Amino acid sequence: MILKLILTFLKIGFFAFGGGWAVVGILKYEMIEKGILSAEEFSQAISIAQMTPGPVAINLATYTGYRYYGFTGALLNTIAFLLAPIVIIAVIFYLSGRIKINKNKWSSSLMGVTTVMVLVTVYSLISPNIKDLWTLLIASFTFFCINKLKIHPLILIFACGLIGSFVYGVL
Amino acid sequence: MIPVMQWEAKKMGWSNEDEFYEDLSIAQTIPGPIAFNTAIMVGKRVAGIPGALLAGIAVVLPPFFAIVAVASVIKPLSNNIYVRGFLKGCYAAVIGLVFNVFYGLIKKQKWTIFKVVIVAAGVILLILNNDLLIPVFAGVLFFLYFKGVE
């Protein structure tokens, strides 16, 4: 089972183009499909990963590993997730100067890929919660606050947590 | 995280602005968290392979221990109705934040036919929801890239 978890994160590491939010959609799909986390556990993991310092995808890998296999799991899962970028960077260091890549075109194509992957993430974050009106209300409120009022994301997350505490705990 | 890294790298004399942007652009085009990749690139510039190794480890350690600490505290609390509500509220906020990332990506890039094709292919994959197709999709992308489609 621990092997299954590590291999899943290793695989996702290779597709982790575009950084954090681009991979969360794939991560969610894999975690829930393979029965590693339930939908609610995944949403808790996302909240914790976002509130803790550090890249969200690494935090998710660490958290999921810890959740099941304690400190060892956290360590192994984090390493597995970062193995792909480490290997690829090593290859780039080795090849640098020998081949020339049209970097502008390459990164422009990848931005298209990133757009799709972030769309997948948005879709997968909303899909199981679409029946919950409060979730959509808070999400729209957050989007408005960050886009128009430029409020710091951490403040927004904390404020929405308090709203959630009230809405789901008291009402 | 990236602006902070840039500021520190400049202050410590590790890399000037051009060098930092070169490292950053490479970091963005390879899979993996951008902050992690950038740290490795900057480390390589300062102190070769050992520098890259140390920078990579150093940038991961604080979040690693932060997560382990939070995870060990949250486990017994996660049945509390207020804690669950708090996390649900945070999750909803995250949806809004990610949507903002998506909105920014749509707005800031130049849309060529090639890119529309990539995005359309991606949306079709999303509807089919078959993860085996992702490598196929990447293959098509590489093919088009090396053919030089603009």
Side-chain angles (χ1 to χ4, degrees):
Chain A
M1 182 63 190
I2 190 165
L3 199 66
K4 190 170 108 180
L5 180 70
I6 288 170
L7 287 177
T8 306
F9 273 88
L10 181 68
K11 182 177 92 180
I12 295 166
F14 277 95
F15 294 113
F17 286 107
W21 290 119
V23 277
V24 168
I26 299 181
L27 265 173
K28 179 173 192 193
Y29 174 75
E30 291 275 333
M31 294 296 102
I32 292 174
E33 191 80 355
K34 296 213 166 111
I36 295 172
L37 294 175
S38 74
E40 179 166 4
E41 280 172 330
F42 184 83
S43 72
Q44 288 184 353
I46 285 272
S47 308
I48 292 165
Q50 175 64 25
M51 274 186 292
T52 320
V56 98
I58 304 185
N59 290 350
L60 267 179
T62 312
Y63 179 83
T64 314
Y66 187 84
R67 164 85 175 64
Y68 282 97
Y69 304 101
F71 189 80
T72 323
L75 191 65
L76 291 178
N77 213 25
T78 311
I79 293 171
F81 182 65
L82 294 176
L83 211 55
I86 291 169
V87 168
I88 291 169
I89 291 177
V91 171
I92 288 180
F93 284 167
Y94 179 71
L95 289 178
S96 63
R98 291 179 213 204
I99 54 162
K100 194 107 190 92
I101 292 180
N102 183 345
K103 240 186 270 158
N104 285 339
K105 208 159 147 200
W106 178 228
S107 55
S108 159
S109 316
L110 278 172
M111 211 167 172
V113 178
T114 307
T115 311
V116 176
M117 291 173 82
V118 173
L119 176 65
V120 171
T121 300
V122 173
Y123 172 80
S124 77
L125 287 179
I126 294 176
S127 59
N129 296 62
I130 199 99
K131 285 175 234 130
D132 184 353
L133 194 66
W134 280 112
T135 304
L136 285 177
L137 266 175
I138 296 173
S140 318
F141 168 71
T142 309
F143 175 65
F144 174 77
C145 286
I146 191 142
N147 199 273
K148 294 277 176 270
L149 308 177
K150 312 280 180 221
I151 297 175
H152 194 277
L154 264 182
I155 297 172
L156 281 175
I157 289 177
F158 195 74
C160 290
L162 292 179
I163 296 173
S165 232
F166 179 73
V167 165
Y168 296 108
V170 180
L171 294 185
Chain B
M1 194 159 177
I2 299 296
V4 179
M5 285 175 92
Q6 184 181 11
W7 196 70
E8 287 287 331
K10 203 172 168 188
K11 199 180 81 180
M12 305 296 272
W14 291 332
S15 53
N16 63 35
E17 203 159 307
D18 287 347
E19 288 171 333
F20 187 83
Y21 279 119
E22 196 190 316
D23 288 346
L24 181 64
S25 73
I26 297 171
Q28 276 174 328
T29 53
I30 40 190
I34 290 158
F36 176 71
N37 295 348
T38 310
I40 293 184
M41 306 299 297
V42 174
K44 167 83 170 3
R45 197 177 280 283
V46 176
I49 302 293
L53 270 175
L54 285 176
I57 293 170
V59 81
V60 172
L61 278 184
F64 180 81
F65 283 107
I67 279 283
V68 168
V70 172
S72 56
V73 174
I74 208 92
K75 226 173 171 178
L77 286 177
S78 64
N79 283 326
N80 180 296
I81 187 162
Y82 298 105
V83 174
R84 283 174 77 168
F86 188 86
L87 291 175
K88 270 180 139 176
C90 294
Y91 180 80
V94 165
I95 296 177
L97 294 178
V98 182
F99 189 78
N100 187 48
V101 173
F102 176 65
Y103 180 77
L105 276 167
I106 293 274
K107 255 183 83 172
K108 83 174 176 198
Q109 59 189 312
K110 279 190 296 182
W111 288 94
T112 58
I113 292 174
F114 181 39
K115 239 187 244 172
V116 174
V117 169
I118 294 178
V119 173
V123 172
I124 291 167
L125 282 177
L126 173 62
I127 294 162
L128 294 177
N129 210 2
N130 187 340
D131 70 335
L132 279 178
L133 284 173
I134 292 174
V136 178
F137 170 46
V140 172
L141 173 79
F142 276 99
F143 178 73
L144 287 174
Y145 170 68
F146 284 114
K147 288 280 272 187
V149 178
E150 281 294 332

